[in-house]
């Protein structure tokens, strides 16, 4: 209980700093693949605990672009950790990378890096796809375990917004899990 409370307090403090614009971002040329490999290394024990395989797919060579490496790693850790929470044992999570003219949720095109993370969970209720990025909101399809405080996706949204990017949720086309997408222009 103490550890959960400490995580909640730290998350709230971080979210407050992000919302107030008091976080200094360090935009430098970075390669997202380096960040993903770091996340894979950090979450190895989490993957092994549920026998989940992490798959990385890319359709083109992914160039380095300007972003704050530490904060994008934070977004990736949060999103991949959520995907693990909602995926059954002995399944996989796929991170797909696209670069160039990419479509966002409203089908408008923007040049940049699009990342989507697919899990094999129960998906997201249609009426919750936008509100899950608000603070203290959690989806109703619970895994039966402690699934968090409801600030992680709000923090991700603030970080992606600070990059002039976009983040949104949808269900996978084959109706077997959720897909969280984000775009970093560049």
């Amino acid at each position: 209980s103490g550890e959960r409370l400490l995580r909640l307090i730290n998350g709230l403090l971080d979210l407050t700093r992000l919302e107030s614009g008091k976080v200094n971002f360090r935009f430098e040329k970075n390669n997202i693949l380096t960040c993903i490999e770091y996340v894979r290394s950090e979450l190895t024990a989490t993957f092994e605990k549920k026998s989940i395989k992490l798959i990385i797919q890319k359709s083109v060579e992914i160039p380095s672009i300007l972003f704050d490496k530490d904060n994008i790693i934070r977004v990736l850790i949060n999103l991949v950790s959520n995907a693990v929470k909602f995926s059954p044992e002995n399944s996989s999570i796929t991170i797909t990378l696209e670069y160039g003219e990419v479509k966002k949720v409203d089908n408008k095109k923007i040049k940049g890096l699009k990342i989507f993370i697919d899990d094999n969970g129960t998906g997201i209720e249609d009426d919750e796809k936008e509100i899950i990025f608000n603070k203290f909101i959690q989806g109703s399809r619970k895994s039966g375990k402690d699934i968090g405080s409801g600030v992680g996706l709000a923090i991700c949204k603030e970080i992606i917004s600070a990059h002039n990017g976009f983040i949104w949720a949808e269900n996978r086309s084959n109706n077997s899990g959720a897909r969280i997408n984000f775009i970093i222009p560049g």
Side-chain angles (χ1 to χ4, degrees):
S1 294
E3 285 180 28
R4 186 173 189 276
L5 183 59
L6 182 59
R7 283 193 313 270
L8 175 61
I9 290 169
N10 286 334
L12 288 171
L13 290 172
D14 290 344
L15 184 57
T16 301
R17 283 192 291 270
L18 284 162
E19 290 176 331
S20 68
K22 295 192 176 183
V23 173
N24 293 321
F25 286 88
R26 292 184 41 197
F27 293 97
E28 299 174 336
K29 274 203 166 197
N30 292 293
N31 191 293
I32 196 70
L33 291 168
T34 304
C35 298
I36 291 170
E37 287 305 322
Y38 177 84
V39 170
R40 181 195 305 261
S41 173
E42 282 291 304
L43 297 178
T44 296
T46 306
F47 296 135
E48 289 174 354
K49 188 174 184 180
K50 288 183 78 175
S51 298
I52 290 179
K53 182 179 177 184
L54 180 65
I55 301 166
I56 301 167
Q57 297 179 342
K58 59 185 179 129
S59 55
V60 297
E61 194 60 36
I62 306 298
S64 294
I65 63 170
L66 287 176
F67 62 85
D68 181 299
K69 183 178 180 179
D70 292 337
N71 278 298
I72 293 300
I73 285 173
R74 183 171 188 182
V75 167
L76 288 166
I77 286 176
N78 187 292
L79 297 179
V80 172
S81 294
N82 282 351
V84 170
K85 286 178 194 176
F86 290 102
S87 289
E89 289 186 12
N90 300 307
S91 64
S92 63
I93 293 168
T94 304
I95 300 176
T96 304
L97 307 167
E98 296 177 355
Y99 182 78
E101 290 277 310
V102 293
K103 287 183 186 177
K104 56 182 204 165
V105 69
D106 57 9
N107 284 326
K108 291 183 181 174
K109 289 187 178 181
I110 185 170
K111 183 176 183 191
L113 175 64
K114 180 178 180 183
I115 300 168
F116 42 100
I117 299 169
D118 292 335
D119 69 33
N120 286 291
T122 57
I124 302 168
E125 297 289 342
D126 287 339
D127 61 343
E128 296 175 345
K129 290 177 185 170
E130 291 183 30
I131 65 169
I132 60 170
F133 294 99
N134 297 338
K135 58 185 163 190
F136 308 122
I137 301 293
Q138 296 178 352
S140 61
R141 294 185 179 180
K142 300 193 186 269
S143 64
K145 300 176 185 171
D146 169 29
I147 60 168
S149 60
V151 297
L153 290 177
I155 289 171
C156 291
K157 182 180 178 182
E158 290 295 325
I159 291 170
I160 297 302
S161 292
H163 285 77
N164 296 314
F166 306 93
I167 187 168
W168 70 97
E170 57 192 5
N171 287 315
R172 293 175 53 195
S173 59
N174 59 7
N175 214 14
S176 63
R179 172 177 284 174
I180 305 294
N181 307 267
F182 68 94
I183 295 175
I184 305 170

